[in-house]
C-alpha cells in the first residue's frame, strides 16, 4: 500500500494506478466473531470499544463486476461502529451471514471478522467490468447505502429495497481500513476544497440529515419552519442545524454543555437549550414519564422563539420521544432515524392524534439524496463537522469517545493519509468559502 500512497501523492494517472499490483492483504479495523459475547452481563456504558476493535491485516476480497476498490485516505467514526463494537443491540455477524446466503458475491462477507466503518474518502484503484461512471485515480467519497438494484422495490426509493443494507455495518469490508470494496453506486465525487479527513466525515450523517429534513421522503422543511434539533452539535444534529439555517428556518438546538452551546452560537444558531443546565427529567422513574417536564421544555422553546416547533429532529429515542411528540406544533412533524437511549419508545397518543401530528421514520438516504447532500458540501453550502482526528490505530479510543458522548461533530480517522491537511485540490474555492467556516468544529475540538 505504501507504493500506492506514493503514487497517489505524486498525482499518478489512472493508467499508472491501474497497472500497480494490489496487495493480497490490507490493514483494517474489525471485530471478531469469537469476541461477540465478551461484554455479556455488562451495562452498555461499561462496554469498551477499545477492547473489541482490533487493527490488523485482513485478506483482500475479490472484486465483483459492479464494485470498485478504493484506497481509503481517511474515514470517520459513526455511531454504528459503536453499536458493532459493543455488540448491541445484536452482534453484526448475523447481518453478514444473511448477506452470505444471498449470492456468490455475498458469500465473501460472512467471515470470522467484520471490517467496520461506513464513511470514506479516497481514490479509486480498480473498477469491475460492469462499472461505467468511475475509473482508477478518481477521487471519491463513499456513501453507505448498499443496494442490490435487481430488486424491483429498489427502483422507487432504494431505501425501500428489501435487501437494503448499510455498508460497513450490515456488510463487511467497511471504510475504517486502508482499502475498501464498495458498489460503484456508492461513489460520489470528493469535494475538491476539502482535505481527506474533512471529506471523509460527511457522507453518512450529512445524507441522513438531508433526507430527514429536506427530501420529499422526510419532513419537507419549508422556509420559516421552527425546527427543534436534539444533539445539535453532534453528528446528524450538526448537519441538521445547517440545513435549517440554509433553508430559511429557525433551529432550536439542544445540547448538554456550555461549550457545545457556544459552538452552536458560532455556527449561527441563536436559540440553544442546554438540557443538562435545565436538568429536564422527562422520566420520573424507569416506567413513568412526567408531563410537567414536557411542558417545562415546551415553555422554554416558546420563550426562545415564540412558538412551537413545526418539525422535531428526533434520534435520542426513549429518553426524549415523549417530549418530542408533545412539543411539536399542532399539525407538526416528528422525524426520527434512531434511538440512542433506547428503542422502546413511549408517547401520549392523545397529544399526537388530537393535535394531528405526524411521525416520520427515516433511515440513511438513497443515492440521489446522498448525491444532493454531497453536492451541497462540494459547493461549500454545508460545512464538514470534523472536530478531531485519530490515526487508524486509535480507532477504539475514537469510538469510545463517541460512546461516552465526549465529542462534538464528527471524529475523522486517518487511514492511508500520512497526516492531516492533505488532499485539497481546489485551494481557491477553499479560500472563497472561508477557512474559518470550514474548520469551525476542528478549532473547537482543539
Ligand atoms: N438511521 C440512520 O440512517 C442513522 C444515521 C446516522 C445516525 N443514526 C443514529 O442517530 C443517532 C445519533 O447519531 P450521531 O452520529 O449524531 O451521534 P452523536 O454524534 O453521538 O450525536 C448524538 C447526540 O445526541 C445527544 N444525546 C445523546 N443521548 C441523549 C439523550 N438521552 N437525550 C438527549 N440527547 C441525547 C447528544 O448531544 P448532547 O449531549 O449535546 O445533548 C449527542 O451528542 C445514533 O443513535 C446513530 O446510530 C442513524
Amino acid at each position: 500500500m505504501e507504493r500506492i500512497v506514493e503514487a497517489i501523492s505524486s498525482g499518478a494517472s489512472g493508467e499508472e494506478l491501474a497497472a500497480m499490483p494490489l496487495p493480497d492483504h490490507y490493514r483494517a479495523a474489525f471485530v471478531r466473531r469469537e469476541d461477540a459475547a465478551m461484554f455479556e452481563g455488562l451495562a452498555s456504558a461499561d462496554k469498551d470499544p477499545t477492547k473489541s476493535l482490533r487493527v490488523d491485516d485482513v485478506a483482500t476480497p475479490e472484486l465483483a463486476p459492479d464494485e470498485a476498490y478504493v484506497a481509503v485516505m481517511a474515514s470517520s467514526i459513526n455511531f454504528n461502529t459503536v453499536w458493532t463494537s459493543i455488540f448491541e443491540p445484536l452482534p453484526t455477524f448475523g447481518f453478514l451471514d444473511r448477506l452470505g446466503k444471498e449470492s456468490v458475491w455475498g458469500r465473501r462477507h460472512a467471515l470470522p471478522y467484520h471490517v467496520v466503518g461506513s464513511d470514506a474518502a479516497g481514490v479509486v484503484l480498480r473498477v469491475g467490468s460492469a462499472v461505467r461512471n468511475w475509473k482508477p485515480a478518481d477521487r471519491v467519497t463513499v456513501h453507505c447505502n448498499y443496494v442490490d438494484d435487481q430488486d424491483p422495490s429498489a427502483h422507487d426509493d432504494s431505501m425501500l429495497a428489501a435487501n437494503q443494507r448499510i455498508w460497513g455495518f450490515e456488510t463487511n469490508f467497511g471504510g475504517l481500513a486502508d482499502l475498501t470494496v464498495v458498489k460503484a453506486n456508492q461513489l460520489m465525487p470528493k469535494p475538491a476544497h476539502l482535505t481527506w479527513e474533512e471529506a471523509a466525515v460527511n457522507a453518512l450523517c450529512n445524507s441522513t440529515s438531508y433526507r430527514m429534513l429536506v427530501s420529499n421522503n422526510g419532513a419537507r422543511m419549508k422556509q420559516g419552519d421552527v425546527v427543534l434539533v436534539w444533539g445539535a452539535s453532534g453528528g446528524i444534529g450538526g448537519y441538521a442545524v445547517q440545513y435549517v439555517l440554509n433553508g430559511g428556518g429557525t433551529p432550536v438546538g439542544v445540547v448538554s454543555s456550555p461549550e457545545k452551546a457556544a459552538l452552536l452560537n458560532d455556527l449561527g444558531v441563536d436559540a440553544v437549550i442546554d438540557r443538562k443546565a435545565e436538568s429536564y427529567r422527562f422520566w420520573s422513574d424507569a416506567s413513568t414519564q412526567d408531563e410537567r417536564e414536557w411542558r417545562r421544555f415546551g415553555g422554554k422553546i416558546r420563550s426562545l422563539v415564540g412558538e412551537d416547533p413545526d418539525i422535531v429532529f428526533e434520534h435520542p429515542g426513549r429518553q426524549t420521544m415523549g417530549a418530542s411528540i408533545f412539543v411539536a406544533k399542532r399539525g407538526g412533524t416528528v422525524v426520527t432515524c434512531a434511538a440512542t437511549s433506547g428503542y422502546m419508545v413511549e408517547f401520549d397518543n392523545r397529544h399526537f392524534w388530537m393535535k394531528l401530528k405526524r411521525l416520520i421514520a427515516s433511515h440513511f438516504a438513497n443515492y440521489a439524496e446522498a448525491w444532493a447532500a454531497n453536492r451541497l458540501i462540494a459547493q461549500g453550502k454545508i460545512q464538514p463537522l470534523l472536530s478531531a482526528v485519530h490515526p487508524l490505530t486509535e480507532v477504539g479510543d475514537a469510538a469510545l469517545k463517541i460512546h461516552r458522548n465526549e465529542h462534538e461533530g464528527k471524529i475523522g480517522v486517518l487511514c492511508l493519509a500520512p497526516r492531516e491537511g492533505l488532499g485539497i485540490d481546489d485551494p481557491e474555492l477553499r479560500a472563497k468559502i472561508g477557512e474559518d467556516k470550514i474548520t469551525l468544529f476542528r478549532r473547537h475540538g482543539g
Side-chain angles (χ1 to χ4, degrees), residues 78-80 83 166 204-205 208 230-237 254-257 260 275 315-316 319-320 337-341 362-364 402 405 407 409-410:
N78 283 293
F79 218 96
N80 63 8
W83 296 126
I166 298 295
L204 189 147
C205 283
T208 301
W230 290 103
S233 69
I236 53 175
V254 186
V255 291
S256 60
S257 72
K260 288 179 175 183
R275 66 184 172 97
H315 52 93
Q319 287 298 325
T320 55
C337 74
T340 314
S341 68
S362 193
H363 185 41
F364 186 58
I402 293 190
N405 194 15
H407 67 297
K410 298 288 307 170

Side-chain angles (χ1 to χ4, degrees), residues 350-368:
R350 293 168 300 177
H351 295 298
F352 185 58
W353 98 71
M354 295 290 288
K355 293 184 182 148
L356 302 126
K357 302 182 186 187
R358 295 189 307 148
L359 179 58
I360 295 180
S362 193
H363 185 41
F364 186 58
N366 61 37
Y367 196 11

Side-chain angles (χ1 to χ4, degrees), residues 252-312:
V252 180
V254 186
V255 291
S256 60
S257 72
E259 294 75 28
K260 288 179 175 183
L263 173 56
L264 277 192
N265 290 151
D266 288 349
L267 195 59
V269 181
D270 296 329
V272 181
I273 299 175
D274 180 341
R275 66 184 172 97
K276 281 247 167 74
E278 301 281 342
S279 53
Y280 294 113
R281 275 177 58 89
F282 300 134
W283 289 83
S284 42
D285 60 45
S287 56
T288 320
Q289 296 201 59
D290 185 346
E291 184 170 328
R292 287 169 307 177
E293 285 293 275
W294 298 346
R295 287 187 187 281
R296 186 162 74 87
F297 180 55
K300 179 75 187 179
I301 297 167
R302 285 183 187 172
S303 76
L304 289 171
V305 294
E307 51 187 301
D308 297 329
D310 297 277
I311 298 171
V312 180

Side-chain angles (χ1 to χ4, degrees), residues 29-108:
F30 57 86
V31 293
R32 300 188 308 181
R33 196 182 282 262
E34 67 194 78
D35 291 337
M38 73 192 293
F39 297 133
E40 255 173 30
L42 292 180
S44 287
D46 299 329
K47 298 180 182 175
D48 181 349
T50 63
K51 298 205 161 72
S52 54
L53 277 173
R54 288 154 193 273
V55 178
D56 208 338
D57 278 5
V58 298
T60 305
E62 210 183 325
L63 194 69
D66 62 345
E67 291 178 342
Y69 286 124
V70 176
V72 182
M73 304 306 284
S75 180
S76 90
I77 311 279
N78 283 293
F79 218 96
N80 63 8
T81 289
V82 176
W83 296 126
T84 304
S85 65
I86 64 172
F87 307 104
E88 281 197 20
L90 293 166
T92 41
F93 291 98
F95 302 138
L96 304 186
D97 292 343
R98 214 164 303 144
L99 174 53
K101 290 188 190 120
E102 204 172 87
S103 68
V104 172
W105 292 110
R107 206 178 300 150
R108 293 170 300 168

